[in-house]
Amino acid sequence: MKFFIDTANLAQIREANQLGILDGVTTNPSLMAKEGIRGKEAIEKHYLDICEMVDGDVSAEVLSTDFDGMVAEGKRLAAIHPNIVVKVPMIREGVKAIRWFTNNGIRTNCTLVFSAGQAILAAKAGASYVSPFIGRIDDGNWDGMELISQIAHIYNIQEFRTEILAASIRSALHIVKAAEAGAHVCTCPLDSILGLLKHPLTDIGLAKFLEDAKKM
Ligand code: G3P
């Protein structure tokens, strides 16, 4: 399973990258706004900075909701760097735009996916990635991980090539469960990635080894 970091924060991207386990980055308008990035030029410069920092796919989201606007924006985003993947929302115009990008050699990440039906449409349109939002499904008292399993099953038997990108990850346990459910990629906040490191028996064991080492 590939690891993406879900942030537009350069310091956090650098920290995850230094671990040597990072395969890419996802951003969205909320994450970009959180970093105080405003205006077309600043946004494009920020995407370029991320692409130059990480050797892997970087999702950059379109803000338009009509076909022509999405295509124009996506073309501009894709021209920033070869690693840019254009992130497109799962709406009617979005599906049309994904098909256009697919036909024109531009890779896409279909975002805001909350059902298997939506995931089928994304794959039919040729999306490179489909992003089911696990945490937000859990927030509504449904089981986000069930959706990952269902999409993985469908994509497997139908031989769809779209990669399942588990998004809206909230914990280290989510990452493990997404891996188990068949996600090809997990995009996570830095804290969830670092959470994978934690086990009390590791800390206790290391303390004992270091204590015993003094007797060597
Ligand atoms: O990748 C999508 C993700 O950023 C959404 O996460 O935590 O806002 O539901 P969250």
Side-chain angles (χ1 to χ4, degrees):
M1 186 175 74
K2 287 187 274 188
F3 266 41
F4 290 178
I5 188 165
D6 194 27
T7 184
N9 182 282
L10 296 181
Q12 289 188 12
I13 294 170
R14 191 173 298 113
E15 191 176 337
N17 205 26
Q18 282 167 352
L19 272 177
I21 50 83
L22 198 62
D23 301 298
V25 179
T26 52
T27 62
N28 62 38
S30 309
L31 294 171
M32 293 290 278
K34 203 166 148 193
E35 299 309 312
I37 301 147
R38 283 186 196 86
K40 211 176 257 184
E41 277 178 23
I43 290 169
E44 291 179 3
K45 164 82 172 57
H46 200 77
Y47 286 138
L48 183 61
D49 289 345
I50 296 173
C51 289
E52 285 175 347
M53 194 179 282
V54 178
D55 183 19
D57 288 346
V58 174
S59 286
E61 189 158 341
V62 296
L63 305 176
S64 304
T65 53
D66 63 295
F67 173 80
D68 290 337
M70 286 188 205
V71 167
E73 252 188 85
K75 278 177 10 189
R76 205 178 151 114
L77 289 169
I80 295 173
H81 192 280
N83 287 353
I84 289 282
V85 175
V86 179
K87 206 169 178 188
V88 180
M90 170 37 77
I91 54 176
R92 182 192 288 239
E93 294 290 287
V95 172
K96 283 158 60 179
I98 290 170
R99 169 48 63 196
W100 188 92
F101 289 127
T102 305
N103 292 348
N104 287 276
I106 293 175
R107 293 176 306 136
T108 52
N109 173 359
C110 182
T111 190
L112 290 168
V113 166
F114 294 91
S115 76
Q118 292 177 325
I120 290 172
L121 270 183
K124 287 294 293 175
S128 316
Y129 296 103
V130 65
S131 289
F133 276 34
I134 305 311
R136 293 193 196 181
I137 294 174
D138 288 357
D139 290 344
N141 287 327
W142 289 289
D143 185 349
M145 224 45 80
E146 282 280 324
L147 178 60
I148 298 287
S149 302
Q150 192 184 13
I151 298 171
H153 178 65
I154 293 169
Y155 279 13
N156 192 32
I157 59 174
Q158 297 297 335
E159 299 182 352
F160 286 133
R161 299 222 310 265
T162 300
E163 291 187 64
I164 303 166
L165 195 167
S168 186
I169 292 288
R170 305 276 171 80
S171 66
L173 183 61
H174 263 163
I175 300 175
V176 174
K177 291 286 178 191
E180 205 172 32
H184 303 97
V185 192
C186 214
T187 189
C188 333
L190 181 61
D191 282 353
S192 302
I193 297 175
L194 296 179
L196 291 170
L197 284 166
K198 290 182 196 156
H199 199 289
L201 290 179
T202 303
D203 299 339
I204 292 166
L206 182 61
K208 174 93 171 77
F209 283 155
L210 293 177
E211 192 53 37
D212 289 345
K214 291 179 192 158
K215 302 170 200 159
M216 280 162 55

